[in-house]
Amino acid sequence: MNSNKKWGTVLMAAVLLMAPVSAVQAKTPVPEVMIAQAGDAGQPEGNEAGNLQFVPDLPTDAGEPAAEQAGSAPSPNQVAASSAVEETQFRNLAAGLPYEWSEEPDASRPDGEYKLTDGKYGTLDMNDPAWVGHQRGKTREVVFDLGEEKSIGKITARFFQDYPTNSILVPLTVSMYVSDDKENWGLLSHNATQLLWGEGPPRQETFEWDGSRDGIKGGNTNGKLAYARYVKVTFTMHPTQWSYIDEIEIRGTDGQADGSVKVPAEHPQFMAPGEATGGIRNLGLLYNGQYPNGLGDWNKERIIPNISYVNKDGEPVDWLFDGILYLGLASPAGRDFGVGQTILEDWNWYLDKTFAAAGDMQQLNEATVEVGSKLNQPDHKMKVVLMIPNPGEYVNDFGDVDGDGVSESFRDSVVGKEKAQENRIKAMQWWLDQVRQRWQEANYSNLELVGMYWLEEQISTSDTGPDLIKAVSGKVHDMDLKFFWIPHSLAYKAFMWKDVGFDNAAFQPNYFFEDMGYDRLEDAANLAKQYGMTNEVEFDDRMLTDGVFRERFIDYLNSGVETGLMQNGFRAYYQGNNAVYNAAVNQDPSNRILYDWLYQYVNGTYQINNAAPPEAAVQINGQPLQSGAVVNETEPFQFTWQLKDDDGVTKVTAQFDGKPYTAGTTINLSGAPGKHELVITVTAGKSQKTSYIIDARANADSMKTLVNRFVEQNQFTNAEAPRSLNNYLELMKRYEGTDATQFDKYLKGFNEELDILLKDGVIKETAYNALKEDVYYLIGNLAQNKKAEASSVEGGSPNLQPEKAVDGFPATRWASDYTNNSWFQVDLGEAKEFDTVRIHWEFARAKTYKLLVSDDKQNWTSVVKDNDGMITARDGKETVHFEPVKARYVKFQGLERNTDYGYSFYEFGVYNLAGGDGVTPIDGVRAVADVGAGKLTIDGLVMDGSSQSEVNLKVLDSKGNVRYEGQTTSTVTGSFQFTIKLTGFLKGTNVAYLSMDGMSTPVKFTFEYKPQ
């Protein structure tokens, strides 16, 4: 499993894009499917021709009927017919029957009239009312009461897929059961999707159990017909996508037909520790591959708190994990052991590292010796499991493992399928031989090798994958070892783990890594019990610093008590790289308690903790904080908090703008005006989040402060540049709050001057970027808080909705599904003029895209005229300038993604920056007549910041006669002033001209003089 498990990104992308293999490729009996596809019947099933690697063609001899046209549905004969006997004897026992859902369908796709048994088949259109829709949550169950016991020979359940256009996927697994009492259920079959997950046109898949072909899975019976009253169909749910179902048929006959049998009830339960687990009850995972900061190198000190429970002084007082699994993901070359990228060089590196004289295994042995000595159990042996790398099916030049001078190839297309499989098995044998040899040579005094672990987390999607695992299983068992597996929650065909030779399997809930809802843990437990597996307990270091992850860790412990996992099950523990050690040695009692709870859980004494958290009093600079607090962007501040009724183990964590924040840390928002968010999370057994909005204000004075700071920091290459910027700011301040038009004029002039300075290399980027943020803030984002729409939202997450990109918060974002043809658009409310769009990209940016505008949301025009409107994206905050346009709607149209994910941005800003050319070289001119003193004062600013500039003034009276000519020198800041004696000749409206050398046109202004 992934050492950092970013569920919802890496894993979700891998599962969605790497489609499972067709079920006909597996060697266990699996029901056939019927697939309908939009488009021509001759099209390949699965993806469009250009993307067949995602969804392979189903073999034409697999028994599937031909693809159906869009809008068509199978006739009753098509669905029912499988043999002449069935046609004459079987009927649909479910026709017209009511049934019970374990969870009602979504309100937008209801099941008001028992649509699953009405005989109406949905077309390949998600809007067809025949489809019933479910989204998220636990595995769904639908139960039918046949009224009395009847003979059942076939069950079909029909599902719809339209991904990614409408975020609908067929279930990964559909299971079918029968019962006599609606309480105890016998298994007919587990059925994996054959349609597969991947991009493509609308299609349908019919999951089917056919007793005449498949037999009965449960109860070790040879029957072909089940005799029962109740039928249950279950289907697993994707954590984010929709499931659509429209018809279930139960074909059979009344009474007990010849050959029909009672199906013994299953007894779902967790796999218990014992022989199958090598005697291990609690298996701790230690990742010892290549990791930053040496986290893949295990020493005795780090290992001891994992294998033993240590007190606050670090001294062992009891054992903790009774088994250790060593596994690595990355090699020094950056190749991944789990996804099948590594070669012989990497395998040797890992073995050398693990079995070195002072390597990871020796460190484990020494740790066990030391703990055993301190606990007076010197003969105690730690049970060990070691990984088996994935022999990747696309590796061509693996290396020579048999000494024949030829590098083994695992690639079918190079050496053929049979030879490639032979080479993979040869490499597996080499690995196992190396492990056995090195283990025997090391002769560890206090370690016992009990098993090998299959690193790939789902049964391979290749047609030879199941056979490879079976072959390796045989070799592991020949060594008298157990075969371990820990599949992820969307692992393809996880239910057939026994069939391929695993001795035990710990099913990953993956709840820790994404917000899935607490019932995800219950669902994972139920599935594990149904499949005879157990569950993995998952956490990492984030539980020590983030209240959300702390609560999720506690949820695992609580759920383990509720489901019986703690009391009855074998358990594996994923901890990231170092969470157990970091919790054990933590000096913060609220963090150390997590280690104590883990110890209690391991020993079966943990008690459910649902305690409500106390309140936290939060302060800013020592004063009580209220949401909506206003701060000046240039004034630093800090947050502190104190718990009310602090019990010493309640944890307070904080995030500011989505990043961890430590109490008392100074925050400076210079160059970051706008809305910010502090989130305080208080966690006891449960957590409580409180959000505080901080409004950082920018104005002319704050921008002046920034300019002057940047002067001190040598962010300008000459003295004129900051003086020039300050002159613009001086004029902005003059009109701030009184004359929006004039303020806007000088702000846009400041912006234009800023761009010129950057272009000429006069201002450094640090200063430029900070001041530019203030410009955008003061000009205003025309899209902020306006209505936004998008073609899709990743997983339908409420935290990634399109409005998040226009809410003004720097840490919120929109994200699309993983498809190129995605769009985002915003309604400005009315047609407005603008010339700039700014996109603040998350990691999942575009490679290319277009920006379009419209007045009706129907007819769109590109704002960029070159290159057919195509824009090549850049990381970070990307600004696109264009000729001013006037429109109501602005649209981002994705063309090609830059990553495997969709498109995601924090901000979509629309701005009108035009108008900066309205400022003249001499500006801000004022004429003030002091009648009492008999003088006229004329002042202004030389806008380019030049000092000692000669400024010329000419004044003409109302009749056009020159009444004054003079010259003055500007100050070092660019200001100047003329003082003129008032005379009767200046009575009325006068015209004045200001000029400097190099000005082509003087600045003209007028003033009135009305003597008393």
Side-chain angles (χ1 to χ4, degrees), residues 145-425:
D145 181 356
L146 303 182
E148 61 183 7
E149 292 175 336
K150 297 184 179 183
S151 300
I152 303 161
K154 177 187 285 188
I155 302 173
T156 59
R158 188 168 181 262
F159 292 85
F160 179 60
Q161 179 159 298
D162 188 3
Y163 182 85
T165 305
N166 287 303
S167 302
I168 304 170
L169 289 171
V170 296
L172 192 67
T173 304
V174 176
S175 300
M176 298 168 181
Y177 301 86
V178 293
S179 173
D180 292 328
D181 57 9
K182 211 166 65 168
E183 295 292 333
N184 301 286
W185 296 93
L187 175 66
L188 298 178
S189 68
H190 296 304
N191 310 279
T193 174
Q194 296 180 53
L195 176 59
L196 315 176
W197 287 352
E199 299 182 15
R203 289 157 288 175
Q204 70 89 17
E205 176 173 9
T206 300
F207 291 77
E208 180 182 84
W209 168 75
D210 185 339
S212 64
R213 180 192 62 217
D214 308 322
I216 294 173
K217 178 69 173 176
N220 295 316
T221 176
N222 293 322
K224 302 294 184 181
L225 298 174
Y227 186 58
R229 173 176 175 175
Y230 299 96
V231 174
K232 178 169 69 174
V233 176
T234 73
F235 54 95
T236 57
M237 295 296 297
H238 190 281
T240 60
Q241 308 299 304
W242 284 86
S243 292
Y244 273 34
I245 181 173
D246 81 330
E247 202 71 18
I248 291 178
E249 292 192 0
I250 303 169
R251 305 201 66 80
T253 185
D254 295 331
Q256 186 166 11
D258 291 342
S260 63
V261 298
K262 295 277 189 178
V263 181
E266 299 280 301
H267 299 285
Q269 58 187 345
F270 286 120
M271 165 164 280
E275 181 182 353
T277 67
I280 298 174
R281 176 177 289 274
N282 296 284
L283 179 65
L285 277 61
L286 303 186
Y287 283 84
N288 68 325
Q290 179 71 28
Y291 296 98
N293 305 316
L295 286 176
D297 302 325
W298 288 88
N299 57 40
K300 183 176 63 174
E301 288 69 31
R302 285 177 64 201
I303 294 172
I304 285 176
N306 282 271
I307 64 172
S308 68
Y309 173 69
V310 299
N311 61 24
K312 294 178 182 179
D313 297 323
E315 290 299 314
V317 296
D318 196 1
W319 294 102
L320 191 63
F321 298 146
D322 58 349
I324 291 296
L325 166 58
Y326 268 133
L327 69 167
L329 292 186
S331 75
R335 292 181 285 264
D336 193 298
F337 289 101
V339 300
Q341 298 172 340
T342 50
I343 60 177
L344 185 59
E345 171 190 326
D346 304 309
W347 291 21
N348 269 312
W349 169 84
Y350 180 83
L351 291 170
D352 290 343
K353 175 184 184 301
T354 302
F355 290 102
D360 302 310
M361 202 67 76
Q362 178 60 27
Q363 295 297 314
L364 177 59
N365 188 61
E366 293 180 10
T368 307
V369 170
E370 181 171 322
V371 173
S373 174
K374 292 183 176 181
L375 296 181
N376 294 318
Q377 299 179 38
D379 296 329
H380 181 92
K381 289 195 173 185
M382 181 59 54
K383 298 180 184 297
V384 179
V385 181
L386 189 64
M387 77 159 185
I388 299 176
N390 177 7
E393 296 157 0
Y394 296 100
V395 173
N396 183 39
D397 185 12
F398 175 75
D400 180 14
V401 299
D402 55 7
D404 63 358
V406 177
S407 177
E408 268 60 61
S409 173
F410 303 157
R411 189 177 296 181
D412 294 357
S413 61
V414 174
V415 296
K417 184 176 297 185
E418 184 176 339
K419 185 64 175 178
Q421 180 80 332
E422 178 185 322
N423 288 341
R424 286 192 286 271
I425 294 174

Side-chain angles (χ1 to χ4, degrees), residues 508-529:
Q508 301 175 30
N510 296 131
Y511 167 80
F512 186 80
F513 313 102
E514 188 73 12
D515 184 8
M516 297 183 183
Y518 184 72
D519 60 3
R520 171 62 200 157
L521 290 170
E522 180 185 356
D523 193 48
N526 290 340
L527 289 172
K529 290 176 181 179

Side-chain angles (χ1 to χ4, degrees), residues 731 745-746 918-925 939-943 976 1003:
L731 296 180
K745 166 187 168 181
Y746 293 113
V919 180
T920 55
I922 298 175
D923 214 315
V925 179
D939 59 25
L941 293 169
V942 177
M943 297 304 292
F976 63 85
V1003 175

Side-chain angles (χ1 to χ4, degrees), residues 354-578:
T354 302
F355 290 102
D360 302 310
M361 202 67 76
Q362 178 60 27
Q363 295 297 314
L364 177 59
N365 188 61
E366 293 180 10
T368 307
V369 170
E370 181 171 322
V371 173
S373 174
K374 292 183 176 181
L375 296 181
N376 294 318
Q377 299 179 38
D379 296 329
H380 181 92
K381 289 195 173 185
M382 181 59 54
K383 298 180 184 297
V384 179
V385 181
L386 189 64
M387 77 159 185
I388 299 176
N390 177 7
E393 296 157 0
Y394 296 100
V395 173
N396 183 39
D397 185 12
F398 175 75
D400 180 14
V401 299
D402 55 7
D404 63 358
V406 177
S407 177
E408 268 60 61
S409 173
F410 303 157
R411 189 177 296 181
D412 294 357
S413 61
V414 174
V415 296
K417 184 176 297 185
E418 184 176 339
K419 185 64 175 178
Q421 180 80 332
E422 178 185 322
N423 288 341
R424 286 192 286 271
I425 294 174
K426 187 187 301 182
M428 292 288 91
Q429 184 66 64
W430 178 90
W431 177 271
L432 294 173
D433 289 344
Q434 285 289 312
V435 170
R436 177 165 48 193
Q437 176 185 336
R438 295 177 188 232
W439 186 273
Q440 291 173 349
E441 290 174 353
N443 193 27
Y444 300 111
S445 62
N446 288 70
L447 300 182
E448 178 187 2
L449 182 64
V450 300
M452 303 298 294
Y453 168 69
W454 187 250
L455 190 56
E456 188 177 13
E457 293 185 358
Q458 70 175 14
I459 293 177
S460 173
T461 59
S462 75
D463 57 354
T464 57
D467 283 341
L468 176 65
I469 300 176
K470 288 179 183 179
V472 175
S473 172
K475 295 180 182 300
V476 170
H477 292 149
D478 287 344
M479 297 170 65
D480 198 24
L481 298 175
K482 300 302 179 183
F483 203 16
F484 289 69
W485 191 40
I486 308 178
H488 62 67
S489 64
L490 296 180
Y492 185 59
K493 288 193 174 181
F495 57 80
M496 64 180 288
W497 63 277
K498 289 183 180 179
D499 298 330
V500 295
F502 292 116
D503 294 295
N504 59 75
F507 186 67
Q508 301 175 30
N510 296 131
Y511 167 80
F512 186 80
F513 313 102
E514 188 73 12
D515 184 8
M516 297 183 183
Y518 184 72
D519 60 3
R520 171 62 200 157
L521 290 170
E522 180 185 356
D523 193 48
N526 290 340
L527 289 172
K529 290 176 181 179
Q530 289 170 19
Y531 299 158
M533 298 175 166
T534 189
N535 281 139
E536 181 181 57
V537 179
E538 299 159 316
F539 53 93
D540 61 32
D541 277 297
R542 287 175 291 179
M543 70 179 185
L544 304 174
T545 59
D546 188 319
V548 171
F549 292 98
R550 180 186 180 90
E551 182 178 6
R552 289 179 189 171
F553 169 71
I554 296 171
D555 286 344
Y556 272 87
L557 305 186
N558 289 346
S559 175
V561 178
E562 294 168 350
T563 62
L565 178 63
M566 181 187 79
Q567 300 91 326
N568 305 315
F570 157 67
R571 301 173 295 267
Y573 296 82
Y574 169 85
Q575 59 160 312
N577 275 106
N578 216 30

Side-chain angles (χ1 to χ4, degrees), residues 674-697:
K675 292 191 292 184
H676 300 267
E677 184 180 31
L678 172 72
V679 177
I680 299 291
T681 304
V682 184
T683 311
K686 294 299 179 182
S687 66
Q688 177 65 48
K689 279 186 177 183
T690 306
S691 172
Y692 298 88
I693 307 304
I694 311 299
D695 188 359
R697 299 283 177 86

